Amino acid sequence: MLAIIQKLSGVHQLLIKLLYGTGLRLTEGLGLRVKDVDFAQNQIIRPVRNINTV
């Protein structure tokens, strides 16, 4: 996997590292916004959607 990541550059490499390191799905990674990242705590903060809402 490391060899593949090293062959990428720029935004593509960043996205693959993020997906691989966090376990996010592709659509989740592509949907991230700056406000979803807490740089002070080094965390990704996403609102939890309750799928069981009546």
Side-chain angles (χ1 to χ4, degrees), residues 33-49:
R33 297 169 291 181
V34 172
K35 70 180 191 175
D36 296 332
V37 180
D38 183 351
F39 293 100
Q41 297 292 323
N42 292 326
Q43 294 181 354
I44 297 173
I45 302 170
R46 294 290 303 211
V48 177
R49 296 181 184 158

